[in-house]
Amino acid sequence: MASTSRRALHLLSLLGSRRLWPMRELATRLGVSERTVRRDIETLRRLDYPVTTVHGPDGGYRLGAGHTLPPLRFDDEQALAVAVALQTAPSTVFGLADDAARALAALERVMPAPLRASMESLRLTRLRNYWEFPAPPIDAAALTAVGAAVRHRHVLVTEALRADGSRPEPGDDDFRPARRVEPHHLVVWAGRWYVVAYDLADRAWRVRRVDRLHPRPTTHPFTARELPGGDLARFVMSSHDRGDTVAAWPCTGSARLGLPAGVVARWAPGGSVVEHLDDEHCRLTLGAWSWAGIAGILATFDAELTEVRPRELVQAGRRLATRFS
C-alpha cells in the first residue's frame, strides 16, 4: 500500500508539471506497466483530482481544473521556488502579505528536514536599497479586475486616480472623464503594474499605471488588435506618458535633455516622469537620496542638459565636475 501511495504521489507530480502526458511516457517514468498507471489514475480520480483523458493519436492524460483546489505535490525544486516567491512577491500588491506568510508557514510545516534546512538558507531579510525606486503596493481588487478584462477580452471603463489613490470630483482641476479602453496586456516593469490598452475615444494605444486607475469591468467583448511595432517590452518602456508620478525621495529635481522622450523613457529609472517637449527634447523629473545622485543619473544619458532645477542640483553637478576634473 505504501508503494502504491508513493507511486500515486509521483504520478500526481508528473501530471502537474506539464499539460499532457502520453500513457507510454508515464509508464516509463514510473517504472510500471500501463495497466498499473491506469489504476493509479483511477486512485487519483477517487481522491477528487481532475485527471482527464485526451483521446486520439496525440492523446494521453492531463490534470484539469476542478471545482475545488485539491492538495498539490511539489518536488524539492518546486517547493524551494514557491518559498522564495512567497517571500518576494507580496510587496507589490496590497493585502497579500498576511496570506503569503500563512502559505509559507503551511509549506514549512510539511517540508522534510533536509528541504527545510535548504529553505532556511534562502530566508530573505528585506533591506531598503536606495536605488530600487520603489512603487506603492497596488490594490488587489483593481489588479484582478484589469487582469480579468485582459484575459476575457472585455472592454474596461477606467477613471484616473491621484497619486494618493483618491478620485478627483467633477470640477476639480485634475478631473478627467472616464475612458473606455480595450485592455490587451498586463505588464510589470520597474516594480510597477501597467495595462497596455487601446483607447476607443482617441483611437490610440496607451500605457497606464494600474494603481492610478479605478477600473470598472464590462461584459462588452472586443477583438484583439496588433500592437504597433509588435514588441511589447519596447512599447511599454519607450512610452513617456505612462501615467507615472515622481516617487517620494529626499531630493527631487529636473532637467531638459537633448534626447527624444521615447529614448529617455526607456532608460529612466522607475518613479521618474518624462515630459515630451519636441521631437528632440524632453524634460526628466526624478528623485534620489541626494542631489549628487540625481546629477549622476542625468549624466548617464550623455546628452545636453539645460534648465536644470533646483539650484541645489546645479551646485551638485558643479561639485561632481570639479572632482572629475
Side-chain angles (χ1 to χ4, degrees):
M1 179 61 72
S3 175
T4 301
S5 299
R6 285 195 296 269
R7 192 174 61 246
L9 288 174
H10 189 189
L11 172 61
L12 179 60
S13 177
L14 292 175
L15 291 171
S17 66
R18 77 185 206 194
R19 295 186 62 85
L20 183 66
W21 280 92
M23 169 60 78
R24 182 174 299 177
E25 287 190 41
L26 285 176
T28 301
R29 292 292 294 269
L30 295 172
V32 296
S33 67
E34 294 185 7
R35 181 179 179 181
T36 300
V37 174
R38 291 190 181 94
R39 285 203 303 264
D40 290 343
I41 286 174
E42 291 305 316
T43 298
L44 293 177
R45 286 170 173 167
R46 286 195 297 271
L47 294 172
D48 291 331
Y49 289 97
V51 182
T52 59
T53 303
V54 179
H55 299 284
D58 297 324
Y61 295 92
R62 65 185 177 193
L63 191 63
H67 297 292
T68 59
L69 182 65
L72 302 177
R73 183 181 187 274
F74 298 125
D75 58 31
D76 290 359
E77 290 76 14
Q78 290 172 322
L80 287 176
V82 171
V84 172
L86 287 171
Q87 295 180 75
T88 57
S91 61
T92 66
V93 182
F94 277 124
L96 286 190
D98 291 342
D99 295 331
R102 290 191 299 109
L104 184 61
L107 190 61
E108 288 179 346
R109 283 195 299 270
V110 298
M111 279 184 171
L115 185 57
R116 189 181 299 113
S118 296
M119 197 201 75
E120 287 296 332
S121 68
L122 296 174
R123 179 75 66 180
L124 302 179
T125 300
R126 294 189 179 280
L127 301 176
R128 170 68 185 273
N129 183 315
Y130 281 104
W131 297 105
E132 287 178 349
F133 298 92
I138 191 172
D139 180 62
L143 188 60
T144 300
V146 174
V150 171
R151 183 171 63 256
H152 298 301
R153 298 276 189 227
H154 284 170
V155 170
L156 200 63
V157 178
T158 63
E159 298 177 57
L161 300 178
R162 296 189 177 103
D164 62 3
S166 62
R167 297 168 65 178
E169 298 294 333
D172 294 344
D173 292 339
D174 55 352
F175 175 77
R176 299 291 183 272
R179 314 290 296 183
R180 295 179 70 252
V181 301
E182 297 174 350
H184 283 69
H185 304 280
L186 190 60
V187 179
V188 181
W189 180 59
R192 289 152 176 81
W193 293 81
Y194 297 91
V195 58
V196 180
Y198 184 82
D199 191 300
L200 293 171
D202 292 345
R203 296 187 178 183
W205 286 89
R206 305 293 184 199
V207 180
R208 292 289 181 262
R209 287 256 306 259
V210 178
D211 61 327
R212 298 288 184 266
L213 299 176
H214 175 69
R216 299 204 307 267
T218 75
T219 57
H220 302 300
F222 65 87
T223 303
R225 301 175 187 266
E226 187 70 24
L227 185 70
D231 189 332
L232 178 63
R234 185 180 183 88
F235 183 79
V236 172
M237 291 188 294
S238 61
S239 296
H240 68 276
D241 55 346
R242 294 184 293 255
D244 285 325
T245 55
V246 181
W249 288 101
C251 303
T252 302
S254 67
R256 175 187 172 105
L257 276 68
L259 287 172
V263 174
V264 175
R266 184 176 184 186
W267 303 110
S272 58
V273 173
V274 180
E275 178 187 358
H276 172 82
L277 299 178
D278 57 45
D279 290 344
E280 297 180 355
H281 297 86
C282 68
R283 175 172 297 280
L284 174 61
T285 304
L286 72 161
W289 65 276
S290 70
W291 295 112
I294 299 177
I297 296 174
L298 290 173
T300 64
F301 289 94
D302 194 22
E304 177 189 3
L305 297 177
T306 57
E307 301 178 19
V308 181
R309 301 165 185 161
R311 177 184 300 177
E312 291 85 351
L313 179 56
V314 176
Q315 294 171 341
R318 289 171 177 167
R319 286 196 300 270
L320 289 177
T322 299
R323 291 169 188 165
F324 285 136
S325 65

